[in-house]
Amino acid sequence: MIRVNDLHKEYHVVKKGQGLSGAVKGLFKSEKLTVNAVNGLNFHINEGEIVGFIGPNGSGKSTTIKMMTGILTPTSGEVLINGQNITKHRKEAVRDIGVVFGQRTQLNWDLRLEESFELLRHIYRIDKKQYSETLEVMDEILGIGEILSKPVRQMSLGQRMKGDLAASMLHSPKVLFLDEPTIGLDVGTKYSLRKFIKEINRLRKTTVILTTHDLGDIQQLCERIIIINSGVIMEDGNLSEIVERIAPYRTLKVEFYDSDIPKHERAELISEDNNVACYKFFKSELTAAELIRDLSGEKAIKDISIEEAGIDDIIRIAYGIKNVE
Ligand SMILES: Nc1ncnc2c1ncn2[C@@H]1O[C@H](COP(=O)(O)OP(=O)(O)O)[C@@H](O)[C@H]1O
Ligand SMILES: [Mg+2]
C-alpha cells in the first residue's frame, strides 16, 4: 500500500545573528544552514495496518508525513502510494489518501460544517450515495449529526477535530495520515478518535499512519510502531516484540507492613520508599509468582502490583541508543 524508498529531506535555512547587533550584521552577512530533517527512510506498510509513527520533537515525523501526502517534495527518494509515485502523480494519488493535522484544520472557518463537507464532495466528485453513507457512518462513530449545522468558527477544538476526521473520510481514502491528532483534546474526544480509527480500520480496511505523543493511543491502536530520531529509523516492528526484545523485564511493586525491605538475589531493588519497594526482574530469570513467594517468605506482604515494561520504556531506550552514538 505504501512504500518509502531512501527518503531524504533537507531544509535550507538562513540563520541570522542574535540580538540587535546580530540583526545589523545580518544585513551584511547571513549564514546558510542545511537541516537534514529526514535521512534515508525505508519502510513498507501493508493494507489495513495501523502504524504508530513516533519520535521526539524535531525528529522528522511531520516532514515525513508531508512527503508521504505530497505536500512536500523529497530532496531525494520516493514515496509510492498504491504503486503510484506521490510526487509525480499527485493528482491521482491524493484520491487514495486522507490527512488530518492536529494543529491545522482543512475545514473552512466561515462555513457551516455541512457546507464544508459539500465543498469537499464537489472537489472530489464524490457520488451522493457514497457521500451520505459515509456521513451516516461518521455520525454513528463520532456523533457529528449534531454539529453539522454549526459554523466551524464556533466549534470547540474537540468538535472541530471530529469535523476534520469526518471530512478526511468523505472520499473514502485507502490510507489515512493523522499527525498529532490528540494534542489538546479532552478525554471524551480522545476516546471518540480512538474509536474512529478502530472502526474505519475494521469497516473499510483503511490503513492508518498515526503520529502521537500519547502512549495510550499507541498501546490501544497500533500493533506496529516505527520509532524515528534525527530523521533515521531506530525501530520498526511489532510493538510487543519490540517491548519483549528491548525491555524484557517487569517491575513488582510491594507494600510491606514496615520499612525493613528484603532483598532478592535475582531481582533488582530499584526503589524504596518507607514500606513500599519496587523490584525489577527479567522474565527469563524469574517469574512474578516465584518473586512474590520468596519475598512473602521473608516478610509479610500487604499489597502488590505488577507492571509490564511500558512503551515509555521502549521510547526511552530507543532514544537512549541514539544518545550513545
Ligand atoms: N519549514 C522548515 N524549514 C526549516 N526547517 C524545518 C522546517 N520544518 C521542519 N524543520 C526542521 O526539520 C526537523 C524535523 O521537523 P519535523 O518534521 O517537524 O519534526 P517532528 O514532526 O518529528 O517534530 C526539525 O529540526 C525542524 O526544526
Ligand atoms: Mg510534528
Side-chain angles (χ1 to χ4, degrees):
M1 178 57 67
I2 304 173
R3 199 171 272 285
V4 169
N5 294 326
D6 201 21
L7 196 64
H8 288 258
K9 181 72 190 179
E10 289 176 358
Y11 290 110
H12 298 282
V13 288
V14 177
K15 193 184 166 197
K16 295 216 171 76
Q18 300 262 306
L20 185 61
S21 70
V24 175
K25 268 188 226 149
L27 292 174
F28 302 101
K29 190 177 132 220
S30 52
E31 202 183 334
K32 284 196 183 122
L33 273 184
T34 303
V35 179
N36 294 306
V38 171
N39 276 311
L41 299 187
N42 288 287
F43 57 87
H44 176 240
I45 293 173
N46 289 316
E47 184 179 11
E49 282 196 270
I50 303 178
V51 179
F53 201 56
I54 52 190
N57 286 333
S59 57
K61 302 178 300 292
S62 295
T63 302
T64 305
I65 296 224
K66 285 175 189 161
M67 290 193 281
M68 288 201 273
T69 51
I71 296 168
L72 278 181
T73 307
T75 305
S76 64
E78 60 176 6
V79 175
L80 306 176
I81 305 276
N82 228 355
Q84 271 177 327
N85 185 308
I86 185 84
T87 315
K88 291 184 187 141
H89 304 283
R90 174 140 209 266
K91 257 198 173 151
E92 297 84 350
V94 289
R95 298 198 70 85
D96 287 337
I97 64 180
V99 57
V100 174
F101 291 98
Q103 272 108 322
R104 182 149 41 101
T105 183
Q106 58 177 326
L107 304 168
N108 191 315
W109 286 105
D110 297 316
L111 300 180
R112 289 182 288 128
L113 188 59
E114 59 195 346
E115 292 169 331
S116 254
F117 286 178
E118 274 294 326
L119 200 62
L120 288 167
R121 185 170 86 75
H122 286 288
I123 292 171
Y124 285 103
R125 302 208 180 100
I126 304 160
D127 77 55
K128 271 230 151 108
K129 189 162 163 280
Q130 186 199 343
Y131 175 79
S132 35
E133 272 173 17
T134 304
L135 270 193
E136 219 167 275
V137 175
M138 288 301 125
D139 187 36
E140 267 170 42
I141 304 174
L142 297 168
I144 51 157
E146 56 202 48
I147 52 171
L148 275 178
S149 58
K150 200 167 185 176
V152 174
R153 189 179 294 286
Q154 290 173 18
M155 286 183 178
S156 68
L157 179 63
Q159 291 174 329
R160 207 210 72 207
M161 179 49 68
K162 286 181 179 181
D164 261 305
L165 293 172
S168 72
M169 289 306 292
L170 290 176
H171 63 295
S172 306
K174 296 193 178 73
V175 187
L176 185 62
F177 295 89
L178 301 161
D179 192 3
E180 308 275 2
T182 42
I183 278 187
L185 291 185
D186 58 284
V187 178
T189 315
K190 247 186 206 183
Y191 173 81
S192 298
L193 174 93
R194 289 178 185 172
K195 188 167 115 193
F196 164 86
I197 294 175
K198 283 182 191 158
E199 285 299 279
I200 59 164
N201 181 257
R202 187 177 67 87
L203 296 169
R204 299 187 162 186
K205 280 209 157 199
T206 311
T207 307
V208 179
I209 290 97
L210 168 74
T211 82
T212 177
H213 280 97
D214 188 321
L215 302 176
D217 294 342
I218 300 281
Q219 260 165 336
Q220 288 238 331
L221 297 165
C222 307
E223 249 178 63
R224 175 178 169 193
I225 55 170
I226 297 177
I227 301 181
I228 79 166
N229 198 350
S230 305
V232 177
I233 292 183
M234 308 300 298
E235 291 292 336
D236 176 1
N238 178 278
L239 176 60
S240 36
E241 277 172 26
I242 293 176
V243 174
E244 198 60 35
R245 178 165 48 76
I246 306 191
Y249 53 81
R250 294 168 172 183
T251 52
L252 177 74
K253 191 172 177 181
V254 186
E255 187 182 349
F256 296 99
Y257 282 92
D258 61 52
S259 59
D260 181 18
I261 306 276
K263 294 208 162 46
H264 191 282
E265 57 177 5
R266 281 176 290 155
E268 184 191 349
L269 184 58
I270 51 171
S271 72
E272 267 181 87
D273 185 12
N274 285 322
N275 301 357
V276 179
C278 284
Y279 299 88
K280 176 172 157 180
F281 62 103
F282 286 83
K283 290 176 189 172
S284 56
E285 290 176 16
L286 190 63
T287 67
E290 284 175 297
L291 180 56
I292 294 165
R293 188 199 57 207
D294 292 351
L295 292 172
S296 63
E298 293 200 34
K299 298 281 295 183
I301 289 176
K302 193 173 177 190
D303 199 6
I304 54 166
S305 63
I306 299 174
E307 274 174 34
E308 294 292 327
I311 185 173
D312 46 343
D313 284 316
I314 301 307
I315 291 172
R316 202 168 35 73
I317 292 166
Y319 294 2
I321 292 166
K322 181 69 191 169
N323 291 341
V324 170
E325 284 176 2

